Amino acid sequence: IRTASRAHETVARVTAVDILESVEPYGILITAGDNDTFPLWYAQEVEGVRSDVTIANLSLLNTRWHLRQLRRRETPDFDPARSTGPWGGREWPKPTQPVFALSEAQLDTLPETASVEAGAGIRLDSLTVRFGASTLFLNDLAVLLLIRDNLGQRPIYFAWSTAGYADQTFGLTQHLVTEGL
């Protein structure tokens, strides 16, 4: 019997650790789907790497349970002694609020879709978001809420796997910077 053992293949784990370590303490990392999210969750839950980072999966942001899960998630402390990233040597204030300001019940009432005028925008504090299409889906609304509720409180990252999502959906090019992985 032939097998396809992957017992000594560590690319997914090592990449996940590198990605997590490239995120500023208490950051929110928006990922695209299973292939990038599951190794990150493994690194956090099994290996204890950077559990202070909140992972929001774009695919799962279309589900009410993921929104509720993110809302009630208690953010673990950032431990600079356990981090291999460049985050030592300064204080990192721990956010005291959940990543969503809306209650779980309010999150449950968000619409599945919302019609907007393509090219129009909204202002979220100091940030103007421009809509790239005339329909926003639940996951898009969730990302807007994550931005609104965390602007100036937690850094927000979009994984490479999200490709042009942040720019094409919200016109954020001028606010995007490539850091780490």
Side-chain angles (χ1 to χ4, degrees):
I1 295 179
R2 289 183 173 207
T3 63
S5 173
R6 290 177 175 80
H8 301 289
E9 293 186 27
T10 61
V11 171
R13 184 188 65 75
V14 169
T15 301
V17 169
D18 287 348
I19 290 171
L20 288 168
E21 291 292 1
S22 70
V23 174
E24 189 174 312
Y26 303 115
I28 297 170
L29 176 60
I30 298 170
T31 60
D34 297 353
N35 290 336
D36 59 338
T37 304
F38 290 174
L40 294 167
W41 281 340
Y42 167 84
Q44 286 185 319
E45 299 299 325
V46 176
E47 298 199 3
V49 176
R50 295 298 308 280
S51 57
D52 61 287
V53 175
T54 300
I55 298 170
N57 179 299
L58 272 176
S59 298
L60 297 177
L61 286 173
N62 277 314
T63 66
R64 307 298 171 161
W65 66 264
H66 190 51
L67 299 178
R68 289 189 302 269
Q69 179 184 55
L70 290 173
R71 170 63 170 81
R72 66 177 173 259
R73 180 180 189 268
E74 291 186 25
T75 305
D77 292 334
F78 169 68
D79 181 0
R82 290 189 49 132
S83 174
T84 61
W87 311 117
R90 85 175 243 219
E91 279 294 312
W92 297 96
K94 182 178 178 177
T96 58
Q97 302 299 318
V99 295
F100 287 119
L102 296 178
S103 69
E104 288 184 45
Q106 290 170 315
L107 289 170
D108 284 344
T109 66
L110 290 174
E112 294 293 325
T113 62
S115 295
V116 295
E117 182 181 332
I122 59 169
R123 193 129 172 99
L124 303 173
D125 196 83
S126 61
L127 178 70
T128 299
V129 174
R130 299 237 175 264
F131 304 123
S134 60
T135 302
L136 296 178
F137 295 94
L138 179 58
N139 64 341
D140 303 325
L141 297 172
V143 170
L144 283 175
L145 290 171
L146 286 171
I147 293 170
R148 182 196 73 183
D149 297 345
N150 294 283
L151 202 56
Q153 303 299 313
R154 300 174 197 243
I156 299 174
Y157 292 77
F158 291 89
W160 274 100
S161 59
T162 63
Y165 174 80
D167 184 50
Q168 294 165 2
T169 308
F170 301 120
L172 294 176
T173 295
Q174 65 182 347
H175 304 287
L176 299 175
V177 176
T178 300
E179 291 182 0
L181 293 174

